[in-house]
Amino acid sequence: HSSLVKWPVPLLHVQRRPAERLFKTKFVQDKILNMVLFNHNLINDENRTIYFEPYSGDHSGDAFYSFVDAIKLIKDKRLPQQLDGLQTPVLIYYGQHDQLVPLNNMQSLNALLENSQLFIDERAGHHPMEDHPEGVLEQVIPFLKSNSH
């Protein structure tokens, strides 16, 4: 497991360093992409540029702190209470090779939500829509059609 999320992100958040400095190096970019993408063929210069573009320029701080807030949200113990009683149909689409969110978190969420279904994609990681877009479409479109009232 990488210590990228466990150590530098909280430390840099406290120090208020610009995101551009953290995400500028190819080493850090590749560490992050290797964590979120199961299909490592997607890790190339073109996709690296596209993926990290929000973390450069005038609004790099906004994107970086949104990233940090998302990490905090995943670990927020209040989330299950806030979702309790939700009646809206929910498709939980999980990439089996996700290195950031453990499967048991998604299984717990599925158990908590009364009207949810958990789908585990064997060909995806943290970003299934990039790793296996066809698989996402195969699950999401029928789910939306069956739940549009």
Side-chain angles (χ1 to χ4, degrees):
H1 289 272
S2 170
S3 62
L4 184 67
V5 172
K6 294 178 187 151
W7 179 75
V9 171
L11 180 64
L12 291 173
H13 186 62
V14 169
Q15 292 179 351
R16 311 291 290 177
R17 280 188 175 168
E20 194 167 2
R21 290 178 62 193
L22 173 68
F23 293 125
K24 189 179 267 186
T25 68
K26 187 174 185 259
F27 173 79
V28 171
Q29 291 174 354
D30 285 350
K31 281 283 247 194
I32 292 170
L33 291 175
N34 275 296
M35 287 172 53
V36 299
L37 296 172
F38 174 63
N39 181 354
H40 291 168
N41 292 328
L42 295 172
I43 302 173
N44 57 47
D45 288 339
E46 179 184 5
N47 287 340
R48 196 179 289 109
T49 299
I50 292 167
Y51 191 87
F52 290 99
E53 190 275 330
Y55 300 100
S56 63
D58 294 340
H59 299 288
S60 65
D62 296 340
F64 177 74
Y65 295 114
S66 293
F67 173 77
V68 171
D69 289 342
I71 292 170
K72 289 179 185 176
L73 180 62
I74 290 170
K75 296 178 179 182
D76 192 332
K77 303 287 187 218
R78 298 171 297 169
L79 188 59
Q81 296 152 351
Q82 294 173 342
L83 296 173
D84 189 31
L86 180 70
Q87 298 298 313
T88 305
V90 175
L91 172 64
I92 302 169
Y93 195 105
Y94 182 78
Q96 180 177 338
H97 305 280
D98 192 324
Q99 295 183 44
L100 298 178
V101 180
L103 175 58
N104 66 340
N105 287 22
M106 296 302 99
Q107 291 167 328
S108 297
L109 181 62
N110 190 46
L112 174 74
L113 298 173
E114 295 175 27
N115 198 8
S116 66
Q117 62 187 67
L118 173 62
F119 178 78
I120 301 171
D121 187 337
E122 296 174 355
R123 295 174 58 187
H126 189 69
H127 287 177
M129 62 284 191
E130 294 173 24
D131 279 323
H132 191 206
E134 303 84 11
V136 173
L137 289 175
E138 289 171 7
Q139 295 298 314
V140 171
I141 291 176
F143 175 81
L144 292 174
K145 285 182 179 178
S146 69
N147 290 292
S148 64
H149 306 137

